[in-house]
Amino acid sequence: MIKKGVIVAVFFSLFMALAGCGKSAEPTSSAGDAKKKVIVGTDASFAPFEYMDKGKIVGFDVDLLDAVMKEAGLDYDLKNIGWDPLFAAVQQGKEVNLAISGITINDDRKQTYDFSVPYFESTHMILVKEDSPIKNALDLKGKVVGVQNGTTGQAAVEKLLGKENKNIKKFENTVVAIMDLLNGGVEAVVTDNAVANEYVKNNPDKKLKTIEDPTNFESEFYGLMFPKGSELKPKIDEAIKKVIDSGKYAEIYKKWFGHEPNVDNLTK
Ligand code: ARG
């Protein structure tokens, strides 16, 4: 006689198999047992790190990612999914396995995500019209300031003006924040220094200038961002270090920034 428990177990396994449970919900696509593809997410509106050019995602991060993934022997796809969705996607580890997007490593984010070793040093800058009276970060008080929502630029401005300050205008991405500056909606945009410099350099007709303020804006570092406990992190850390040591990093850096990088501050 067949025991009731056995029948239940058989039906249960059948149900699980049909429902596709037990299979991993990892965002990697696989062709049989062939190599799995790693899905990398980004917000491609942050030149020169990642932006769209003739329908392709290009930039410093894109070239660095390629070098790192080749070094790690990982097959990957890069997807442009936008800044806010990126954080949710990485946290859930469903749509993407990791992100590269000029993402600053900080304690707040470290509670939810794992980060690679640092790959780029950054700080904030103020972008204003050439004839603006704003001279430094303290001059932002009482002014309408644009930031990309959910960035460290937003946090830096909130620190100066107060968290609930209605004069802080948050945009979905940095491109639209700069558009609003050009249209007179905001009087300044606070963003990462390399991004502010790139915009001014590429758009001389727009008559914007950048303002540094090392007393009020701290230095920060970018890292690749993973879901907590990702198995990819150690492999990718190793590969980043190799890409830096081999001189490949310097080559990519020179292509995008036109001068030698200071890699000492990354490795210390
Ligand atoms: N470094 C800043 C941060 O992590 C801004 C990054 C924005 N990156 C982007 N691709 N939009 O908050």
Side-chain angles (χ1 to χ4, degrees):
M1 189 186 130
I2 305 168
K3 289 217 182 86
K4 211 176 170 186
V6 174
I7 298 175
V8 170
V10 167
F11 273 102
F12 182 71
S13 341
L14 199 66
F15 171 78
M16 291 294 278
L18 288 174
C21 301
K23 265 193 216 147
S24 85
E26 293 273 286
T28 42
S29 60
S30 58
D33 276 340
K35 242 199 205 165
K36 286 188 176 172
K37 251 192 190 173
V38 175
I39 309 296
V40 184
T42 194
D43 167 33
S45 57
F46 207 59
F49 296 101
E50 45 270 321
Y51 60 101
M52 299 306 297
D53 187 26
K54 298 179 198 86
K56 271 183 68 187
I57 312 172
V58 298
F60 172 82
D61 280 356
V62 179
D63 287 352
L64 181 70
L65 175 74
D66 193 63
V68 167
M69 296 308 257
K70 278 198 179 115
E71 179 62 51
L74 294 166
D75 213 2
Y76 73 98
D77 269 339
L78 181 60
K79 275 196 194 171
N80 181 19
I81 67 170
W83 182 251
D84 288 330
L86 194 57
F87 284 78
V90 174
Q91 190 179 359
Q92 294 160 5
K94 276 191 186 136
E95 204 186 331
V96 301
N97 299 98
L98 65 115
I100 187 164
S101 210
I103 305 172
T104 300
I105 306 168
N106 65 23
D107 289 340
D108 194 29
R109 290 174 182 163
K110 274 196 210 158
Q111 296 185 5
T112 317
Y113 306 93
D114 280 349
F115 283 91
S116 70
V117 292
Y119 72 85
F120 193 89
E121 186 172 6
S122 176
T123 187
H124 289 105
M125 256 189 182
I126 309 166
L127 199 56
V128 290
K129 289 194 175 158
E130 261 169 20
D131 57 3
S132 169
I134 296 167
K135 299 256 171 318
N136 56 47
L138 300 180
D139 288 344
L140 294 174
K141 292 201 172 126
K143 301 281 190 306
V144 182
V145 184
V147 294
Q148 180 177 1
N149 188 49
T151 58
T152 52
Q154 177 184 335
V157 174
E158 284 177 349
K159 208 171 140 192
L160 287 161
L161 305 186
K163 214 170 161 56
E164 304 303 329
N165 196 318
K166 294 276 180 301
N167 280 341
I168 306 172
K169 235 175 136 178
K170 297 159 204 141
F171 296 88
E172 187 189 343
N173 63 54
T174 303
V175 172
V176 290
I178 298 173
M179 290 301 146
D180 205 51
L181 172 64
L182 296 173
N183 295 333
V186 296
E187 295 162 272
V189 166
V190 172
T191 186
D192 296 24
N193 58 336
V195 173
N197 283 331
E198 179 81 2
Y199 189 86
V200 170
K201 189 185 85 192
N202 292 341
N203 302 278
D205 56 310
K206 298 288 197 291
K207 303 211 178 325
L208 295 183
K209 65 177 179 191
T210 56
I211 301 168
E212 294 183 320
D213 189 338
T215 21
N216 288 294
F217 294 133
E218 287 163 15
S219 150
E220 42 184 56
F221 290 91
Y222 296 168
L224 275 65
M225 189 171 79
F226 305 89
K228 270 240 172 285
S230 167
E231 286 172 6
L232 291 168
K233 177 183 150 54
K235 268 189 209 164
I236 287 179
D237 276 346
E238 185 92 352
I240 295 173
K241 287 182 201 152
K242 281 199 182 135
V243 166
I244 293 175
D245 289 346
S246 70
K248 182 76 190 163
Y249 177 91
E251 191 185 297
I252 298 168
Y253 189 100
K254 263 186 272 172
K255 170 181 164 190
W256 289 99
F257 299 102
H259 59 95
E260 288 285 341
N262 175 6
V263 292
D264 293 345
N265 48 1
L266 296 180
T267 42
K268 73 178 178 219

